[in-house]
Amino acid sequence: MALEALVFDVDGTLAETERDGHRVAFNRAFSKVGLPWFWGAELYDAMLPIAGGKERMHHYANTYQPLTASDPNFAQLVTRTHALKTEFYLERVATGGIPLRPGVAALIKEARERGLRLAIATTTAPENAAALLTSTLGDDAMAWFEVVGAGDIVPHKKPSPDIYQWVLDRLSIGPAQALACEDSAIGLAAATAADIPTIVTPSNHARGHHFDGAAAVMDSLEGTTVDNLIQIHARATAGMDAIH
Ligand code: XBP
Ligand code: MG
């Protein structure tokens, strides 16, 4: 089965957005709405397996702030706080504060030139993904991605395969025609649960994760070419044929 499309995760894979982007924006939003919460780097890393900002806030409150979580207006507060957090995150990205990880831009550009189809499968809000891509790759960058699966468009976030299945449906391809690029254990779990061969470039908060089942694990995409990916994909799909 030939490789037809690359499906990129965003946070952690394209850029190290979490600790210095999302985390900082959450803390600014907490203080703006008067919530006496502060998410330090270690606590934040431990909460990253809960995908989605609103889901992460609910998880944190249920675990550490049960009184706040039991307030009947808490869900509304989460929605309001998360909207502010998105504003702060966008501000940060717009100032060019978050660069792409090494090799990402070169690989995306080569993939376009070689006619590979490109897509996004992320848990973060669509405006966050668009802001990162346009601030780093240029104003027309969103047009490079045929399908953008992001945020609340599917009911269950990673590690559920929903977002990857949604993207495959819209690309009208089977999982073995795609290669996913992820940075974390939950991202890998989501893509492989959708049967997509997956390469992992662990982000700085995912260094200790286990990546069993990955088609390849690499420090970064620096120096990785489309030919490398075609080889990895061919090996992985040959393995899949042998298993199924
Ligand atoms: C990473 C996430 C996101 C961000 C926050 O998603 O888990 O939840 O931390 O984004 P991915 P929102 O690696 O799939 O890109 O606050 O917009 O939900
Ligand atoms: Mg990620």
Side-chain angles (χ1 to χ4, degrees), residues 5 19 24 32 41 45 51-52 56 73 90 99 108 117 125 131 153 162 171 179 199 202-203 206 209 222 225 232 237:
R19 269 183 219 173
V24 174
K32 183 94 181 182
D45 280 1
R56 195 169 295 139
N73 296 321
L90 291 175
I108 289 176
R117 299 165 73 192
I153 195 127
D162 287 9
L171 288 170
L179 184 71
I199 62 166
S203 51
H209 292 192
E222 185 154 37
T225 63
I232 291 168
T237 49

Side-chain angles (χ1 to χ4, degrees), residues 71-92:
D71 187 299
N73 296 321
F74 183 63
Q76 271 176 355
L77 179 63
V78 167
T79 306
R80 189 157 63 89
T81 310
H82 188 258
L84 276 170
K85 176 259 167 183
T86 300
E87 267 177 42
F88 293 139
Y89 179 78
L90 291 175
E91 238 175 60
R92 166 114 202 180

Side-chain angles (χ1 to χ4, degrees), residues 8-15 17-18 48 121-123 158 164 181-188 201 203 205-206:
F8 287 94
D9 167 50
V10 174
D11 294 308
T13 299
L14 299 183
T17 47
E18 292 290 5
L48 277 170
T122 177
T123 289
K158 298 173 187 177
Y164 277 102
C181 304
E182 274 287 354
D183 71 295
S184 67
I186 60 159
L188 172 65
T201 50
S203 51
H205 61 80

Side-chain angles (χ1 to χ4, degrees), residues 54-190:
K54 295 184 287 292
E55 292 81 351
R56 195 169 295 139
M57 287 174 63
H58 279 286
H59 167 81
Y60 172 78
N62 290 331
T63 311
Y64 301 104
Q65 313 283 349
L67 269 183
T68 308
S70 65
D71 187 299
N73 296 321
F74 183 63
Q76 271 176 355
L77 179 63
V78 167
T79 306
R80 189 157 63 89
T81 310
H82 188 258
L84 276 170
K85 176 259 167 183
T86 300
E87 267 177 42
F88 293 139
Y89 179 78
L90 291 175
E91 238 175 60
R92 166 114 202 180
V93 171
T95 58
I98 308 186
L100 294 180
R101 289 183 64 186
V104 169
L107 182 63
I108 289 176
K109 285 176 186 159
E110 195 205 342
R112 286 189 75 215
E113 283 159 18
R114 298 275 301 265
L116 280 181
R117 299 165 73 192
L118 299 175
I120 296 285
T122 177
T123 289
T124 200
E127 57 267 50
N128 293 349
L132 181 72
L133 287 166
T134 51
S135 76
T136 52
L137 292 173
D139 286 344
D140 62 340
M142 286 318 282
W144 305 358
F145 295 85
E146 203 177 315
V147 174
V148 177
D152 298 329
I153 195 127
V154 288
H156 305 111
K157 292 185 174 162
K158 298 173 187 177
S160 156
D162 287 9
I163 194 69
Y164 277 102
Q165 278 158 352
W166 189 93
V167 167
L168 289 177
D169 278 355
R170 267 133 199 99
L171 288 170
S172 296
I173 59 173
Q177 291 166 283
L179 184 71
C181 304
E182 274 287 354
D183 71 295
S184 67
I186 60 159
L188 172 65

